[in-house]
């Protein structure tokens, strides 16, 4: 059972962006998300480009809070390039996504390298 409440539907698959700078993780659904043990402050970018922030209620329960604006694709590209560089992927300047769905697919591909 998923311990994280979703107030607004999330377009799966998605990517978790860890607040501690650990990078990204590809997740197929809410149950996959739980396997990565996200913490309050971590972010999630869904396949439609909506950023969600993992927030904590006073009772300690966690929930994904959708943010007001779609993710900036240029900013996402910068962050993905930095993540790929930390993984040792070559040709970083050529790495570019045109949509949030491509970003989700790229993280899935990077995890397989």
């Amino acid at each position: 059972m998923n311990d994280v409440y979703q107030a607004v539907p999330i377009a799966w698959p998605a990517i978790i962006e860890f607040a501690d700078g650990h990078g990204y993780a590809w997740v197929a659904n809410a149950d996959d998300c739980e396997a990565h043990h996200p913490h309050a402050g971590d972010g999630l970018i869904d396949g439609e480009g909506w950023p969600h922030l993992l927030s904590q209620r006073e009772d300690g329960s966690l929930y994904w809070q959708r943010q007001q604006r779609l993710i900036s694709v240029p900013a996402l590209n910068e962050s993905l390039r930095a993540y790929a560089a930390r993984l040792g992927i070559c040709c970083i300047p050529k790495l570019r996504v045109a949509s949030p769905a491509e970003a989700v697919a790229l993280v899935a591909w990077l995890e397989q390298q």
Side-chain angles (χ1 to χ4, degrees):
M1 182 62 118
N2 189 344
D3 294 335
V4 178
Y5 173 74
Q6 295 169 220
V8 178
I10 294 173
W12 302 103
I15 51 178
I16 297 173
E17 183 175 16
F18 297 101
D20 64 3
H22 175 70
Y24 292 94
W26 182 86
V27 290
N29 54 43
D31 290 333
D32 258 5
C33 230
E34 205 172 307
H36 290 282
H37 308 289
H39 294 91
D42 288 343
L44 181 138
I45 302 165
D46 72 20
E48 293 177 351
W50 287 106
H52 303 259
L53 179 66
L54 190 55
S55 301
Q56 188 169 18
R57 293 189 179 89
E58 288 182 23
D59 67 3
S61 63
L62 298 172
Y63 66 101
W64 289 112
Q65 179 180 5
R66 187 164 87 176
Q67 304 302 289
Q68 298 294 318
R69 297 177 189 243
L70 290 169
I71 193 77
S72 160
V73 174
L76 186 56
N77 272 310
E78 285 183 38
S79 182
L80 289 170
R81 283 186 196 111
Y83 174 58
R86 285 193 306 272
L87 294 175
I89 303 296
C90 69
C91 305
I92 300 301
K94 293 181 182 181
L95 186 115
R96 182 175 113 22
V97 297
S99 69
E102 285 183 14
V104 170
L106 176 64
V107 171
W109 179 81
L110 288 170
E111 286 184 350
Q112 295 175 4
Q113 300 309 304

